[in-house]
Amino acid sequence: MQVTDLYVSAPGKAILHGEHAVVHGKVALAVSLNLRTYLRLKADTFGKVCINLPNIDTFLSWDLSQLKQLVTYGKVDEVQCLDAELVRRLREFIGVSNGSLDTCSMANLSFLYLYLFCICFLSELPSLTLTVWSELPTGAGLGSSAAYSVCLAAALLCASGAIPPPLKEWEHTARWCQEELELINSWAFQGEMIIHGNPSGVDNAVGTWGGMLRFLAGKIIPLSRVPLLRILLTNTKVPRSTKVLVAGVKDKINKFPSIMVPVLDSVDAISCTCEKVLSEMTCEPITGEHYNILEELIDINQHHLNVMGVGHPALDRLCQVTLAKGLHSKLTGAGGGGCGITLLRPGSTVQELKDCGFDCWETSIGGPGVQQHSAISVKEEILEILNYY
């Protein structure tokens, strides 16, 4: 083991603009959230590998002697396609072989896969304990699984010696270099493939680099500077199927191409305009006009998403209630329920919205990607949880 005690974190994500249109070759903008997942890796001598996930009430351990039988040897710096045979064996190992996995099983499967691959070239499998705590709700479309996968990849690659710990003795937080981040992202994508099957790669890229990413035709471009804007996230807690919603948009485009293609083109223009405005806000004084434009873009895009058929009465209510307070909202992600995002101007308060019964959190966008922390830089309440297990 190269590291005896390690703290890392990675952010969640939200889609600002481009939901569904991105599936049809248009630009989407994804941003990091100042809601993070935190991981503590601790080297042990108990001959076991343990994982503690208090958010989902999961606490498991495996003997190293059992895991040695599953080791697949390879090079950690050469990320290949997902090893389907190892995934099959791991499903049998944890007792889930039918491919239908709940949140707990998916988290365990992803961890064991990354552990075996990232550590496998060491002469001995290390005994360690991983504890993960997240500020992100699961299953809300805010990138919780990707933040988890990014934390796993960073911690295990660091523990194996494949990448060095970036934190110097006098620093509180530090980030890896570009080449190391690319390796972290590649392995985090493997974890996402196990959990989601065929992910776009956007969520783990946001978790790795943070800030804002431009996604177009499968290409992900991190943007260097993003203003740290305040936002309100609201979870409608309405369940939905992304697959069904995506298929519904496709059917509507096929049925009404002359109507829907211009809608997609308009969403593309909204994403590009938003990107331009945000870029301006990083290099010149921020004005009320900047906020006016961003709010108009939010309203227009929300109407487009309703035209696509991915709205929901719960999201309509959010838009109506926030508009009555002078705020502007839209869905973020697949729609059909899920989460909404509200732009907050400086000085805006949100207590009245919470009093209306909305399940919401105030946060900001554009924060850093995956980081290593000193213990003193981790929030006290989170540090207590990570050190308790």
Side-chain angles (χ1 to χ4, degrees):
M1 288 283 288
Q2 304 294 315
V3 177
T4 57
D5 214 348
L6 177 71
Y7 296 91
V8 298
S9 74
K13 77 92 180 61
I15 303 295
L16 280 187
H17 295 291
E19 296 94 338
H20 292 284
V22 69
V23 178
H24 302 279
K26 307 302 180 182
V27 172
L29 297 179
V31 291
S32 61
L33 299 173
N34 194 26
L35 294 171
R36 303 181 71 86
T37 292
Y38 293 83
L39 178 151
R40 182 194 185 194
L41 182 150
K42 181 180 180 183
D44 290 322
T45 57
F46 305 136
K48 292 181 179 292
V49 171
C50 307
I51 186 163
N52 301 312
L53 307 174
N55 291 95
I56 56 175
D57 198 28
T58 296
F59 309 92
L60 294 171
S61 64
W62 301 274
D63 289 332
L64 290 180
S65 58
Q66 296 175 295
L67 294 177
K68 285 177 182 177
Q69 302 173 28
L70 298 167
V71 170
T72 299
Y73 289 95
K75 292 185 178 180
V76 73
D77 58 345
E78 296 179 3
V79 183
Q80 306 293 332
C81 296
L82 197 67
D83 188 331
E85 174 59 21
L86 178 58
V87 173
R88 184 193 65 78
R89 290 161 58 200
L90 284 172
R91 283 177 175 166
E92 292 182 353
F93 179 71
I94 65 174
V96 183
S97 57
N98 61 6
S100 178
L101 303 180
D102 57 24
T103 300
C104 172
S105 297
M106 288 189 290
N108 294 331
L109 185 62
S110 179
F111 162 64
L112 288 172
Y113 184 92
L114 292 178
Y115 169 80
L116 290 175
F117 259 112
C118 291
I119 307 287
C120 67
F121 67 94
L122 295 176
S123 58
E124 290 286 339
L125 287 182
S127 176
L128 55 83
T129 296
L130 282 180
T131 302
V132 183
W133 174 260
S134 185
E135 298 172 314
L136 295 158
T138 59
L142 300 178
S144 61
S145 68
Y148 171 73
S149 294
V150 169
C151 284
L152 286 180
L156 292 171
L157 288 169
C158 198
S160 71
I163 60 174
L167 194 65
K168 304 298 188 296
E169 199 172 299
W170 60 88
E171 293 177 312
H172 291 319
T173 61
R175 301 198 64 198
W176 287 270
C177 71
Q178 182 66 18
E179 183 179 355
E180 293 157 354
L181 289 173
E182 288 174 357
L183 185 60
I184 290 170
N185 185 57
S186 296
W187 282 106
F189 184 62
Q190 296 271 302
E192 280 284 88
M193 288 176 68
I194 290 174
I195 294 171
H196 293 297
N198 187 31
S200 67
V202 171
D203 288 16
N204 51 276
V206 173
T208 301
W209 279 281
M212 182 168 72
L213 280 76
R214 189 178 199 266
F215 186 74
L216 176 64
K219 294 183 179 179
I220 302 172
I221 303 173
L223 304 176
S224 56
R225 299 180 66 190
V226 186
L228 295 174
L229 300 179
R230 293 169 61 222
I231 61 167
L232 186 72
L233 285 169
T234 301
N235 188 357
T236 67
K237 296 187 177 180
V238 176
R240 74 275 189 272
S241 166
T242 299
K243 183 177 180 180
V244 170
L245 290 162
V246 169
V249 173
K250 183 178 180 180
D251 288 343
K252 189 164 285 194
I253 294 169
N254 291 335
K255 188 175 181 180
F256 304 111
S258 62
I259 298 172
M260 298 305 299
V261 170
V263 172
L264 298 177
D265 290 338
S266 180
V267 171
D268 185 74
I270 289 169
S271 295
C272 294
T273 303
C274 180
E275 180 183 341
K276 180 174 179 290
V277 173
L278 292 175
S279 178
E280 290 175 357
M281 294 172 76
T282 64
C283 57
E284 61 185 55
I286 297 176
T287 66
E289 183 58 24
H290 287 127
Y291 277 96
N292 289 340
I293 296 172
L294 293 178
E295 289 169 347
E296 286 189 79
L297 295 176
I298 285 172
D299 292 342
I300 296 168
N301 199 5
Q302 178 61 21
H303 288 304
H304 285 342
L305 289 162
N306 280 329
V307 169
M308 293 182 202
V310 297
H312 188 275
L315 291 163
D316 292 338
R317 178 171 177 263
L318 171 66
C319 293
Q320 292 163 3
V321 171
T322 54
L323 188 59
K325 308 294 183 184
L327 303 171
H328 299 256
S329 306
K330 64 177 284 292
L331 67 83
T332 181
C339 284
I341 186 172
T342 305
L343 179 62
L344 299 176
R345 288 191 180 225
S348 298
T349 58
V350 297
Q351 187 57 48
E352 291 175 318
L353 297 175
K354 294 180 180 179
D355 292 341
C356 290
F358 287 107
D359 184 11
C360 51
W361 316 264
E362 181 181 342
T363 184
S364 59
I365 65 170
V370 63
Q371 292 182 315
Q372 184 189 353
H373 298 266
S374 67
I376 197 173
S377 70
V378 180
K379 298 176 184 178
E380 185 176 348
E381 62 272 21
I382 293 176
L383 188 65
E384 288 181 5
I385 295 171
L386 295 176
N387 291 342
Y388 178 78
Y389 298 99

